[in-house]
Amino acid sequence: MSASLANTTASAAGTTGTSGQRQTSGKAISGLGTDFNTFLTLLTTQLRNQDPSNAMDVNKMTEQLVQFTAVEQQVQTNSNLQQLITLQQGNTMTTASGLLGRVVEVESRQLALQNSQAALRLPAAGAARSAVIQVTDQSGRVVSEARPTLTAGATSTWSWDGRDSNGRQLADGSYGFTIQGRDGNGAMVAISAGVLARPTGVERGADGVTLRFGSLALGYDKLRSVQP
């Protein structure tokens, strides 16, 4: 926006406030796109305050005012979109609250150990016939390893009781994991697994709606399925 138009806006605010036609403090240009009186005030104020020896081109002035209106309309559009997002998040929270206590499958690189239980949904056997699963603690140290066989034609569930390789019971919380497939010859095949857990809470923040699984927090968009 040019300095000329900015000065005009400030002058217009003072003019309308003095005349008593409209209180403009804090929102001198509110409703510019629909308020014809405000539009005329800006126009006449700019004409009144321009340099007579260097008058602004009428087309240029009109172009500035049109741009000014377009900016205001964009601000109003953004405000309306934010209201829609807020409403959508509220609806999502209502839907997500129905998942509390149920087993769901989510996309995550961390396991949620809850009441000494954690689980993964493994893919059906294909090129990969088995899997190598390593569970790690917060420091990245491997605390448990398993080599389950994949089931032909159907997904399967791998469960972890929260015990480390020495049989020691670990505390509930979030644990990292890696999974690799192995074919019939033992060669590595890339596979993925879904995390099975029970939501314990639903939150709404700056990044949207979040599902909590104890100490593990995941975005609602990570939800894959809800188990019966």
Side-chain angles (χ1 to χ4, degrees):
M1 185 186 301
S2 70
S4 175
L5 186 56
N7 293 334
T8 300
T9 301
S11 300
T15 302
T16 54
T18 302
S19 65
Q21 293 178 355
R22 186 172 186 173
Q23 294 297 322
T24 58
S25 177
K27 48 182 180 179
I29 60 173
S30 177
L32 177 61
T34 56
D35 191 331
F36 188 65
N37 290 330
T38 302
F39 177 84
L40 288 179
T41 299
L42 285 171
L43 180 63
T44 56
T45 302
Q46 179 155 331
L47 291 172
R48 187 182 304 114
N49 290 279
Q50 66 180 332
D51 184 356
S53 63
N54 186 26
M56 178 181 290
D57 180 79
V58 174
N59 292 332
K60 182 178 180 180
M61 181 181 62
T62 302
E63 180 183 350
Q64 288 181 344
L65 291 173
V66 170
Q67 291 175 347
F68 194 64
T69 302
V71 170
E72 187 209 21
Q73 291 174 341
Q74 184 61 52
V75 170
Q76 292 175 343
T77 298
N78 291 342
S79 177
N80 291 336
L81 285 175
Q82 185 57 53
Q83 291 179 11
L84 289 175
I85 291 173
T86 300
L87 289 173
Q88 181 61 43
Q89 288 181 345
N91 291 336
T92 301
M93 285 193 67
T94 300
T95 301
S97 64
L99 301 177
L100 298 181
R102 300 186 63 181
V103 176
V104 301
E105 180 183 356
V106 292
E107 179 184 346
S108 176
R109 299 309 302 168
Q110 290 184 301
L111 283 169
L113 185 62
Q114 301 171 299
N115 298 320
S116 299
Q117 292 293 321
L120 292 176
R121 169 64 57 81
L122 303 180
R129 301 295 182 85
S130 63
V132 177
I133 302 170
Q134 290 186 329
V135 180
T136 58
D137 60 16
Q138 295 298 321
S139 65
R141 180 175 63 93
V142 176
V143 296
S144 182
E145 181 175 302
R147 296 174 177 265
T149 299
L150 302 181
T151 303
T155 61
S156 58
T157 300
W158 171 78
S159 298
W160 179 47
D161 60 5
R163 296 184 181 277
D164 65 13
S165 55
N166 296 318
R168 182 169 57 108
Q169 183 66 55
L170 301 179
D172 283 359
S174 59
Y175 291 83
F177 77 93
T178 60
I179 182 169
Q180 295 178 342
R182 292 288 189 271
D183 65 14
N185 298 318
M188 185 173 66
V189 179
I191 60 172
S192 61
V195 174
L196 299 174
R198 295 179 186 273
T200 57
V202 182
E203 299 175 355
R204 183 173 71 182
D207 296 328
V209 176
T210 299
L211 290 173
R212 296 203 66 88
F213 304 86
S215 62
L216 177 61
L218 297 172
Y220 189 73
D221 61 322
K222 299 300 183 182
L223 181 66
R224 282 187 176 182
S225 65
V226 180
Q227 304 306 301

